[in-house]
Amino acid sequence: MFLCDLCTYGPDYFHQFRSVISDPEYIEQIPLVKTPIFAAQAMDINNSTVSGNIEAVIALLGQGGIRDPAVISEENHDNDVDLLDVSEYVILIHGNLSTGEWLQAAQLCCSIKSTAWNCLQHIVFIPGLFHLKMACADVLWCCFIQLSAACEDEMSLMCDIAQLRPKETGIYSTKPGFRRMHQLIGHASICRCLDCWRVHVEATRGFSDLEGFALLKPMLDDLQKMADDLACTYIARNKLQRLHRE
């Protein structure tokens, strides 16, 4: 992140390295698997109620050949038919935040049932990336903008807003919306990364700004080592709580 921001938004000298920056190394890569997609049949179910959502989930699983393991066990015993038993697995359901709320309400309603299937314990909700970004942006707004105490420090996000969007401070303090918050997070992050470069360069190389450091014409390997130092120094790690106490 530090190296990419420097080579994209820093002085012109560093732009030559943007195309040769390698991708991050894989640590625990999820293998690429083709997922088949099947169209579901239309269902005459009221999704505005908890019981309707429970019925919809069971109907969708049934269309995919997934049913109660107890029923499958009886049918296999009687008809010697090999049916899918998901008692040792989970079912991932993707949707927006409203879908997650309805699924949570359905699981809470069914929590007194006697079996894991009837309790819907196999259901795991996966939010969409866009809705996940919306939730994260809302959390950042609540923590760093809505609270007046969070705006008093000169390093606060509101001070960044005063520099980046001086005519919109009132909007950001009330209801900025997702688009504005998404742009603010991206722009403020870039500025903070470049400022970390400035501080690090001044402390280690003696240059007061990045333009002066660019005159030194550092190579990509040197920049990579400096970016690693920046990541270890300026990004919160497991030692953040201890550093906060100090």
Side-chain angles (χ1 to χ4, degrees):
M1 179 180 66
F2 285 102
L3 185 59
C4 182
D5 285 345
L6 177 67
C7 297
T8 303
Y9 305 102
D12 293 339
Y13 168 78
F14 301 109
H15 293 180
Q16 60 181 311
F17 302 119
R18 182 66 182 90
S19 60
V20 296
I21 297 177
S22 58
D23 295 330
E25 296 181 2
Y26 297 113
I27 298 178
E28 294 182 2
Q29 182 182 11
I30 300 176
L32 182 62
V33 179
K34 182 179 179 180
T35 303
I37 300 177
F38 302 96
Q41 299 177 0
M43 296 174 290
D44 186 14
I45 298 175
N46 184 8
N47 286 330
S48 62
T49 63
V50 175
S51 59
N53 280 271
I54 297 174
E55 185 180 356
V57 169
I58 295 176
L60 285 172
L61 295 180
Q63 293 184 39
I66 301 173
R67 290 190 290 169
D68 188 346
V71 177
I72 292 177
S73 178
E74 293 178 359
E75 292 184 358
N76 286 344
H77 179 74
D78 296 338
N79 303 326
D80 193 25
V81 179
D82 187 17
L83 298 176
L84 180 61
D85 185 359
V86 295
S87 57
E88 298 183 359
Y89 301 91
V90 297
I91 306 297
L92 304 180
I93 294 185
H94 168 81
N96 55 25
L97 297 181
S98 178
T99 302
E101 293 176 355
W102 280 113
L103 288 175
Q104 185 179 18
Q107 289 176 321
L108 181 62
C109 180
C110 298
S111 59
I112 61 174
K113 302 291 184 178
S114 58
T115 65
W117 173 268
N118 291 330
C119 289
L120 302 179
Q121 290 184 4
H122 53 285
I123 300 298
V124 176
F125 171 69
I126 305 295
L129 179 59
F130 174 74
H131 295 90
L132 178 62
K133 285 185 175 182
M134 290 181 62
C136 292
D138 188 59
V139 169
L140 290 176
W141 180 81
C142 292
C143 293
F144 299 108
I145 297 179
Q146 183 185 26
L147 298 177
S148 58
C151 303
E152 297 175 354
D153 190 271
E154 62 179 6
M155 300 296 291
S156 66
L157 189 57
M158 183 56 76
C159 289
D160 293 345
I161 296 173
Q163 295 292 327
L164 297 171
R165 300 285 190 272
K167 297 182 179 180
E168 299 180 2
T169 54
I171 297 176
Y172 277 100
S173 61
T174 53
K175 292 183 178 181
F178 171 73
R179 181 183 62 82
R180 281 193 174 90
M181 280 300 301
H182 186 265
Q183 292 178 345
L184 172 65
I185 293 169
H187 295 163
S189 299
I190 293 170
C191 294
R192 289 299 179 185
C193 285
L194 294 178
D195 195 46
C196 289
W197 274 104
R198 179 190 60 80
V199 174
H200 189 72
V201 164
E202 184 176 6
T204 58
R205 303 301 175 92
F207 294 96
S208 59
D209 52 40
L210 295 179
E211 286 76 11
F213 176 57
L215 297 177
L216 191 61
K217 295 185 177 181
M219 301 306 295
L220 181 61
D221 293 339
D222 297 331
L223 295 176
Q224 182 64 65
K225 293 178 182 179
M226 295 180 68
D228 293 339
D229 294 337
L230 285 166
C232 294
T233 305
Y234 295 102
I235 292 186
R237 298 179 294 165
N238 55 346
K239 297 181 180 179
L240 178 63
Q241 188 174 3
R242 178 176 61 82
L243 294 174
H244 180 70
R245 289 197 300 268
E246 295 177 354

